Amino acid sequence: DVKVTQSSRYLVKRTGEKVFLECVQDMDHENMFWYRQDPGLGLRLIYFSYDVKMKEKGDIPEGYSVSREKKERFSLILESASTNQTSMYLCASSLLSGYEQYFGPGTRLTVT
Amino acid sequence: AQKVTQAQTEISVVEKEDVTLDCVYETRDTTYYLFWYKQPPSGELVFLIRRNSFDEQNEISGRYSWNFQKSTSSFNFTITASQVVDSAVYFCALSVYSSASKIIFGSGTRLSIRP
């Protein structure tokens, strides 16, 4: 079974803090993704990566950056957290483009 | 542009009833992939099925079945003899060959199964 793990289920941070969300997949997948999910707005793609050190902006990259130094790990960085970044963050991976994505359990981030 | 529409925001049925979740997609690509995901109250999205645009065969997996019709651009999902454990939000999604790294999700249908 594919396993995607995320570093925290719940996280509370203060405005202005730098926040790191970590995601690890154990199936040697090429692609990895970060989404945020908000009520009424569905899933929105923040960034994705199709190879180590490669990244592409999704639909809402503003205020976020990412890092993929190793194939199995994809990090989402909030350089200076703001209250409007309070959300559920979901990481996913897929073997190749066009294949299904497998999701982690999510991190519910609250910025106060 | 690609789009996925799940017109049913919420559905509530009594246990053991059959229920169909509708999904309509839009794309001009001839090669594309369709997906269904389940998101139970725990929050983790669970992959259910993937179909490519060249395979219109219907699929059955236990109580779940999927009807893919290119003529109507629909990929509907039916649960037969629903159970309380089927209560979840269900997402239909689309990925096109020309930008296949990205998946476009519908807005989801919240399904509640009452005992």
Side-chain angles (χ1 to χ4, degrees), chain A residues 28-67:
Chain A
D28 204 33
H29 282 179
E30 298 293 325
N31 300 333
M32 295 188 76
F33 307 82
W34 275 106
Y35 295 87
R36 63 178 284 179
Q37 185 177 25
D38 302 285
L41 296 175
L43 280 96
R44 294 181 291 169
L45 181 64
I46 304 171
Y47 267 98
F48 68 98
S49 168
Y50 51 89
D51 200 353
V52 175
K53 297 192 188 295
M54 305 301 288
K55 62 185 179 185
E56 283 210 20
K57 294 179 180 179
D59 301 316
I60 52 161
E62 297 78 22
Y64 303 95
S65 62
V66 290
S67 172

Side-chain angles (χ1 to χ4, degrees), chain A residues 9 31 33 35 37 43 45 48 50 58-59 90 97-105, chain B residues 33 35 37 39 42-47 49-50 91 95 100-103 105-107:
Chain A
R9 285 303 302 268
N31 300 333
F33 307 82
Y35 295 87
Q37 185 177 25
L43 280 96
L45 181 64
F48 68 98
Y50 51 89
D59 301 316
L90 295 166
S97 296
Y99 281 69
E100 61 274 15
Q101 294 181 11
Y102 292 91
F103 284 80
Chain B
Y33 312 91
F35 309 84
Y37 286 84
Q39 188 175 37
S42 60
E44 185 168 341
L45 272 91
V46 177
F47 163 71
I49 189 170
R50 169 183 179 266
F91 292 93
S95 174
S101 292
K102 296 176 67 172
I103 289 183
F105 286 87
S107 54

Side-chain angles (χ1 to χ4, degrees), chain B residues 26-94:
Chain B
E26 295 176 29
T27 180
R28 290 184 178 178
D29 282 50
T30 56
T31 302
Y32 52 89
Y33 312 91
L34 295 164
F35 309 84
W36 275 95
Y37 286 84
K38 174 182 180 180
Q39 188 175 37
S42 60
E44 185 168 341
L45 272 91
V46 177
F47 163 71
L48 296 177
I49 189 170
R50 169 183 179 266
R51 304 297 283 178
N52 72 54
S53 53
F54 300 109
D55 183 2
E56 273 193 87
Q57 276 196 341
N58 291 334
E59 176 113 1
I60 298 175
S61 175
R63 295 182 298 106
Y64 294 174
S65 63
W66 291 269
N67 184 302
F68 176 27
Q69 292 200 338
K70 289 174 76 169
S71 60
T72 55
S73 296
S74 64
F75 186 42
N76 296 338
F77 173 29
T78 297
I79 302 175
T80 304
S82 59
Q83 299 176 3
V84 173
V85 293
D86 296 326
S87 296
V89 180
Y90 290 86
F91 292 93
C92 180
L94 166 71

Side-chain angles (χ1 to χ4, degrees), chain A residues 5-6 14 35 67 71 100 102 111:
Chain A
T5 56
Q6 295 182 229
R14 293 199 180 276
Y35 295 87
S67 172
K71 191 174 186 179
E100 61 274 15
Y102 292 91
V111 182

